[in-house]
Amino acid sequence: MKSYEQIERNPKFQQLVGKRKSLGWTLSALMLIVYMGFILVVGYAPKVLGAPLGSGVMTVGVPVGLFVIVAAFILTGIYVNKANAEFDQLTKEIVEESK
């Protein structure tokens, strides 16, 4: 079995780490933008979210709030899909090479 240093020098391991880091930061930034945008609107323009939708009692804030929640699930799904499709394959190749 190879040592940790040998695995760490493996180009596939470095590729895996780079891709995971890049995707993680990208998805985190997107979620931060969505969430902080919502919080900033709540803090600085609450009347925007309090505006009624149509003639009912629902306001703009309800679908916008749901969008924030759904965005978190979608971004998580994107990560899981990428991990299952690409990251797991790279991990398997690294493990096979280290035997």
Side-chain angles (χ1 to χ4, degrees):
M1 190 163 176
K2 293 185 177 183
S3 70
Y4 175 77
E5 291 83 17
Q6 289 172 316
I7 292 172
E8 194 174 46
R9 286 192 298 265
N10 184 330
K12 288 183 181 178
F13 178 77
Q14 293 173 0
Q15 178 186 14
L16 173 65
V17 169
K19 286 184 175 189
R20 273 193 350 201
K21 185 187 297 185
S22 175
L23 181 63
W25 280 110
T26 301
L27 295 176
S28 294
L30 286 172
M31 192 64 230
L32 185 64
I33 290 167
V34 169
Y35 182 73
M36 289 306 295
F38 178 71
I39 295 302
L40 289 172
V41 171
V42 167
Y44 292 105
K47 290 182 182 179
V48 171
L49 296 176
L53 279 178
S55 61
V57 294
M58 186 181 300
T59 64
V60 172
V62 173
V64 172
L66 287 174
F67 168 76
V68 171
I69 294 167
V70 170
F73 281 102
I74 290 171
L75 293 175
T76 301
I78 289 170
Y79 184 86
V80 168
N81 187 37
K82 186 80 165 178
N84 289 341
E86 187 175 345
F87 300 158
D88 285 353
Q89 181 61 36
L90 275 171
T91 302
K92 184 178 178 183
E93 291 172 13
I94 293 165
V95 169
E96 290 298 320
E97 288 177 10
S98 68
K99 288 184 178 179

